[in-house]
Amino acid sequence: MSYEFEFGDVLGAWDELLHGALNTLWLSALAMLIGLVVAILGAFGKTSGPRWLRVLIDAYIEVIRNTPFLIQIFVVFFGLPSLGIRLEADQAALLALVINVGAYATEIMRAGIESIGKGQIEAGKSLGLTPLQIFRYVVLKPAIQAIYPALTSQFILLMLNTSVCSAIAASELTAAANDIQSRTFRSFEVYFVVTVIYFALSLLFWGLFRVIERTLLRQPARR
Amino acid sequence: MSASQPHTLGDVVVTMAGVGKWYGDFKVLKDVNLDVRRGERIVICGPSGSGKSTLIRCLNRLEEHNEGRIVVDGIELRHGMRDIDKVRREVGMVFQSFNLFPHLTVLENCILAPMKVRGTARAEAERTARLYLERVHIPEQAGKYPGQLSGGQQQRVAIARSLCMNPRIMLFDEPTSALDPEMVKEVLDVMVELAESGMTMLCVTHEMGFARKVADRVIFMDRGEIVEAETPDVFFDRPASERTRAFLGQILPH
């Protein structure tokens, strides 16, 4: 068995690949940011909200974590128009990604919040801080510090998951690869190159997470 | 050391009348009656599980009482009250385990509540914080994080943090129980100075030397009841109750 690699056609479409990679980068970063906000709100609601809200958030988390992401995208992209909500493929992809990562990240954030000792909350109360102020100034940062490795792993998974968005032809890296492949029939080469690009994107995000950890989330040295 | 200096007491700032509390079937406070006057220093002692921590935690509503009346600084504590923060900002509390915020520096620990609760400007809050850090003898630690300090230093920061809110009443819940022996004195010294400044204080502690020195009244609790509430002289030398005598016999050096 022998296969002759021919990268010429693939590398000739470098501008499409670059464009796809940049879109994947943006789509992921945006979904991470909005997903983090969803997670913080969701986790606050789940730990401090009224009962009906907790039930609602639980239902959201369970539905999302127990169904395939591909189906979630299809529901958003093909289902929502039936309700009169029409989204571009890229918007639908972003929305589906946020909904998906929001559920996983909410659970992670909840674990972080619950890791904060009761004494911290009592100290906040005894100083006259409101529950929201206690969450914002006392709980949030140590909670994120506690679950940062789990959260960033989830975010890398999210970035890799964006490739599923090619199923609705969102403009991201895998969709670009599919286009090139259907034009050149150089499947092996295309997906090999794309694999390398995804790996590079992962390393880029890991690096970024590391920088954030060392600046914004810096833990004071112990004595 | 002599017993506490005589000093004048003001109006009643804390009233507990017929206060009771249950944890499930277990009655942790039974018919507690106590009036505390402004400037008064009260030391509460008793065996573990006697309800002394619960008693002071009811005063800023970290615990809710089930019966009777509690009035703190003119506000009655009621079930479902929405303005509990109004009481809490006037009542400082120091915990056994310090409970400093580990992600904030000493200075940030001290200015958080004044800025967020009282709306004090940062510069003003920092000035006040440095003043109180001076008073607890650690002005040079302002930029450090709690994890970089010794237990005694952390507890003194916790006292300063409470004082930064300018509370009218200070509650101490076994403030020296989690400290290494050599650090107990530095915290007690700060508490004595605070007492001498006229602060109204309720201290749960087994530091009987401290009680003798500053307390106006020493309260002995057992099984959820106030058994004895006397001046230190009477309390230590002529306790009326057998239970008090037995307790003192166990904790005082022979």
Side-chain angles (χ1 to χ4, degrees):
Chain A
M1 223 196 304
S2 74
Y3 182 86
E4 274 191 32
F5 283 98
E6 173 52 64
F7 281 102
D9 288 343
V10 176
L11 297 179
W14 64 271
D15 52 335
E16 283 174 68
L17 289 172
L18 179 68
H19 191 241
L22 286 177
N23 278 334
T24 290
L25 191 73
W26 275 120
L27 187 61
S28 310
L30 221 60
M32 287 174 198
L33 267 178
I34 305 174
L36 180 63
V37 174
V38 170
I40 290 172
L41 295 176
F44 180 64
K46 217 188 140 172
T47 49
S48 316
R51 198 184 158 71
W52 63 266
L53 185 62
R54 280 182 279 156
V55 170
L56 209 67
I57 294 169
D58 271 338
Y60 158 61
I61 292 170
E62 290 311 317
V63 167
I64 296 304
R65 292 205 304 180
N66 293 292
T67 52
F69 180 51
L70 181 61
I71 302 303
Q72 293 165 11
I73 296 183
F74 284 163
V75 167
V76 169
F77 189 56
F78 299 116
L80 287 188
S82 322
L83 301 176
I85 305 167
R86 236 164 267 285
L87 296 171
E88 300 288 319
D90 288 0
Q91 296 169 328
L94 178 61
L95 181 59
L97 284 165
V98 166
I99 291 174
N100 183 267
V101 78
Y104 288 93
T106 294
E107 269 303 272
I108 295 173
M109 270 304 297
R110 180 191 57 78
I113 290 171
E114 287 175 356
S115 77
I116 304 303
K118 193 167 74 93
Q120 293 285 304
I121 309 211
E122 289 185 347
K125 281 183 184 172
S126 75
L127 288 165
L129 296 168
T130 63
L132 201 60
Q133 287 173 327
I134 292 174
F135 180 75
R136 167 72 184 79
Y137 301 111
V138 176
V139 173
L140 188 56
K141 192 172 171 186
I144 291 179
Q145 281 169 339
I147 48 85
Y148 195 68
L151 188 67
T152 48
S153 295
Q154 192 64 50
F155 280 172
I156 293 295
L157 271 179
L158 155 78
M159 193 277 288
L160 300 178
N161 255 340
T162 56
S163 73
V164 180
C165 300
S166 63
I168 57 168
S171 48
E172 45 69 63
L173 184 55
T174 303
N178 292 344
D179 279 352
I180 298 166
Q181 189 274 144
S182 63
R183 233 176 29 236
T184 64
F185 301 107
R186 285 284 167 195
S187 324
F188 201 170
E189 288 86 343
V190 174
Y191 293 117
F192 180 77
V193 170
V194 165
T195 299
V196 172
I197 297 176
Y198 272 115
F199 192 71
L201 285 174
S202 283
L203 292 183
L204 183 74
F205 273 110
W206 281 123
L208 183 70
F209 295 150
R210 192 85 178 264
V211 170
I212 292 173
E213 185 175 22
R214 287 187 176 175
T215 52
L216 297 177
L217 295 177
R218 196 169 54 86
Q219 304 240 30
R222 308 243 127 208
R223 79 201 291 266
Chain B
M1 288 296 156
S2 65
S4 63
Q5 316 291 318
H7 62 130
T8 47
L9 300 177
D11 318 331
V12 172
V13 284
V14 173
T15 300
M16 300 181 90
V19 172
K21 175 172 179 60
W22 283 267
Y23 288 134
D25 288 339
F26 180 67
K27 192 155 192 189
V28 62
L29 290 182
K30 295 175 198 158
D31 189 29
V32 169
N33 295 285
L34 177 67
D35 281 344
V36 182
R37 308 181 80 86
R38 191 171 302 289
E40 194 170 15
R41 311 129 187 184
I42 293 193
V43 165
I44 305 170
C45 59
S48 109
S50 60
K52 51 199 191 304
S53 283
T54 307
L55 186 151
I56 67 165
R57 287 164 59 86
C58 281
L59 295 181
N60 65 351
R61 220 164 166 70
L62 291 183
E63 309 273 357
E64 299 186 6
H65 61 290
N66 302 118
E67 61 184 14
R69 285 179 74 230
I70 300 180
V71 182
V72 177
D73 202 31
I75 300 177
E76 175 161 7
L77 308 186
R78 293 169 186 280
H79 185 69
M81 64 188 297
R82 310 213 113 225
D83 51 354
I84 182 62
D85 292 336
K86 257 190 215 162
V87 176
R88 285 177 177 160
R89 70 182 70 160
E90 308 299 339
V91 180
M93 187 168 217
V94 174
F95 300 86
Q96 180 175 350
S97 48
F98 328 138
N99 294 344
L100 293 176
F101 306 132
H103 59 298
L104 301 179
T105 64
V106 163
L107 191 67
E108 288 166 344
N109 264 278
C110 291
I111 63 175
L112 177 65
M115 286 175 65
K116 301 303 170 192
V117 177
R118 297 232 192 255
T120 312
R122 175 178 283 269
E124 169 78 20
E126 285 190 4
R127 212 166 26 243
T128 310
R130 288 186 192 282
L131 197 80
Y132 282 114
L133 288 173
E134 191 102 33
R135 257 181 78 175
V136 301
H137 314 299
I138 35 174
E140 72 285 358
Q141 309 287 5
K144 290 202 180 160
Y145 286 89
Q148 298 169 307
L149 305 182
S150 72
Q153 290 173 323
Q154 289 192 54
Q155 193 61 299
R156 285 184 284 145
V157 172
I159 294 172
R161 176 175 71 176
S162 282
L163 293 177
C164 283
M165 285 295 284
N166 273 318
R168 299 181 197 208
I169 302 165
M170 283 287 289
L171 308 175
F172 292 83
D173 190 1
E174 306 209 28
T176 57
S177 302
L179 295 176
D180 291 332
E182 75 272 22
M183 293 169 185
V184 169
K185 184 172 180 295
E186 66 190 52
V187 171
L188 288 180
D189 285 347
V190 165
M191 290 172 62
V192 170
E193 287 163 23
L194 186 61
E196 283 164 355
S197 76
M199 176 65 75
T200 309
M201 295 166 69
L202 283 91
C203 313
V204 172
T205 181
H206 289 144
E207 295 295 336
M208 291 299 119
F210 172 79
R212 231 183 227 288
K213 196 165 173 182
V214 308
D216 294 300
R217 271 189 290 167
V218 183
I219 290 176
F220 173 66
M221 288 188 73
D222 191 20
R223 286 172 239 158
E225 293 172 310
I226 293 184
V227 176
E228 191 135 358
E230 285 296 347
T231 63
D233 286 346
V234 176
F235 184 85
F236 290 111
D237 302 335
R238 289 167 268 129
S241 138
E242 184 53 46
R243 280 197 273 176
T244 310
R245 278 197 290 273
F247 177 74
L248 287 175
Q250 276 163 351
I251 66 164
L252 290 180
H254 299 283

